[in-house]
Amino acid sequence: MVVDEAELVRKVVAGDRFAYERLLALHLPSLTAYVMRMMANSADADDVIQETFLRLWTKGQRFDPARAKLTTWLHNIAHNLVIDYFRGRNRLVGEPIPDQPDEQGGPAQNYTHLNLRAEISNAMMVLPERQRSAIIMCYYQGMSNRDAAAVLDVTTDALESLMARGRRRLRSLLAEKT
Amino acid sequence: MTEEQFENMLDTYGANPQHWPDEIRTEAEALLNRSDHCRQLLAPHRALDNLLDSYKARTPSSLHHRILENLPLSLSERILRWLIPGVPTDLWHPIAAACLPLVFGVIVGASTPDNWAFEDEAALSWEQEEIYLLAVGDLTPPINPRDTESLP
C-alpha cells in the first residue's frame, strides 16, 4: 500500500498523533542509522534523533512535498543538527556506546571485529562532515545522488566530488586493512 | 564510458553496481565485461566496501517510545494531565466522548425556560386542575331536540 506522506504530514501539523506515529515508524530506522554513523554511535546521537522528530511535530508546516521527499527533508534537518552539535563541541564527538560483539564467533574473533569497527569508525570521524554525510547517505542509506545533493544543498557534481575525496581518504586511512 | 570515467565512478560510488547511478550503470557494466583493466580496478574498491559494510549503526532501544513521550502536549492534553495526573494523552478522545452527554444535559438544563422548571406551584396546580377537568368532563356534543322527537 502506498502511503501518502504529504497527507500524513498535514495531519501531523493538525495535531494528529496517530499520523505522527506512522511517520515515526516509517522514518525512524533510516534516520537513526544516518545519525548514528554521523556521530560514531555516540550517546548524544539519541538526542539529535529525538530533536529531528520533534521538528517534524513542531515545524511540519515547513515541509513542501513539491520541493522534496519527506526523507530528504528529515535527513536535511538531522544533518544540520549534527553540524550544530559538532560546532558546539568544537568537533569532538561524545563518548561512544560500546559496540556489541557478534553473536557468532569466539572471543578472539569478536575482539578483532570490535577493533576493526572501531578503526573504521575513527576513520569515518576523521572525514569532514560533508564528505562523511555524502558517503553515509549514498552508500549506507541508499539515497540517490540527487536526493543526497539536495540534503547537502549542493549540485550532484559537487556531491560526487565530496564522495570521491571521502572514499580516497578512507582508503588511505584504512590502507593496512584493505 | 571510458576507463578513466569508470575509475572515477569507482572512486565515488565503490565497487558494488547497486550503488552506481541508474543513468550510467548499464554502460559501466558493459565496459566492465569487456575490459580486463576495469576488472582489476575493482579489487581495492571492493576491499574498502567490505570494511564499510562492517561498520554497523547502533539501534537504541525504546527510542520510538521516548520520542512519543517527549512530544509537547496541546492545551486540552495539558488540562487533562492537570486534572488526572498520569493519564495517557491518547485517552483524551474517549474521555471527551464520555463527558459529552453530561455537557449536553447541562446545556439543555440551563437553556430551558423557567415555567418548564415547575418553580411556580400555583401555575402547576392550575395546569393540573385543567388536565383533570378535561379528563372527567363530558365532552360529547349536545343532543338535537328534533332528533329525539322521531324516537318511539
Side-chain angles (χ1 to χ4, degrees), chain A residues 56-121:
Chain A
L56 171 62
W57 180 255
T58 56
K59 296 185 167 46
Q61 71 276 9
R62 293 188 187 172
F63 169 65
D64 180 2
R67 287 183 60 198
K69 296 176 194 167
L70 183 60
T71 183
T72 310
W73 189 71
L74 289 171
H75 273 82
N76 181 259
I77 292 172
H79 174 77
N80 290 332
L81 288 171
V82 169
I83 299 294
D84 289 347
Y85 171 84
F86 283 115
R87 278 185 192 150
R89 295 177 65 95
N90 200 19
R91 285 181 59 90
L92 292 174
V93 73
E95 193 64 28
I97 302 281
D99 205 353
Q100 294 297 308
D102 288 332
E103 300 271 319
Q104 301 152 344
Q109 199 179 351
N110 279 337
Y111 179 76
T112 312
H113 280 167
L114 292 181
N115 266 354
L116 181 63
R117 284 182 203 169
E119 282 187 54
I120 300 163
S121 173

Side-chain angles (χ1 to χ4, degrees), chain B:
Chain B
M1 177 180 274
T2 64
E3 289 183 343
E4 190 185 357
Q5 286 170 325
F6 184 84
E7 192 169 4
N8 286 338
M9 186 197 69
L10 293 181
D11 271 344
T12 307
Y13 294 101
N16 186 346
Q18 287 181 341
H19 291 150
W20 299 346
D22 295 338
E23 311 90 74
I24 55 173
R25 188 183 301 124
T26 311
E27 214 180 333
E29 283 176 329
L31 179 63
L32 186 63
N33 283 334
R34 63 175 187 268
S35 165
D36 288 337
H37 175 65
C38 287
R39 279 194 292 275
Q40 284 168 2
L41 289 173
L42 278 180
H45 294 282
R46 195 170 278 153
L48 178 60
D49 285 353
N50 289 337
L51 283 178
L52 291 177
D53 288 343
S54 67
Y55 181 36
K56 306 291 180 200
R58 180 170 64 87
T59 46
S61 60
S62 72
L63 187 55
H64 184 276
H65 180 70
R66 273 184 282 155
I67 290 171
L68 290 176
E69 274 292 296
N70 290 330
L71 280 188
L73 301 175
S74 65
L75 180 64
S76 58
E77 288 166 337
R78 283 204 298 273
I79 292 170
L80 184 69
R81 280 271 170 100
W82 180 73
L83 288 171
I84 318 168
V87 69
T89 51
D90 52 1
L91 281 182
W92 169 245
H93 292 135
I95 289 174
C99 290
L100 208 58
L102 177 69
V103 174
F104 181 72
V106 169
I107 291 168
V108 168
S111 60
T112 305
D114 283 351
N115 60 346
W116 282 29
F118 306 113
E119 286 178 354
D120 187 346
E121 286 186 12
L124 176 67
S125 59
W126 181 85
E127 279 178 354
Q128 281 182 329
E129 193 177 343
E130 280 289 304
I131 293 166
Y132 175 77
L133 287 172
L134 283 170
V136 298
D138 185 2
L139 300 178
T140 51
I143 299 167
N144 191 332
R146 277 181 290 179
D147 292 343
T148 54
E149 284 171 8
S150 61
L151 290 171

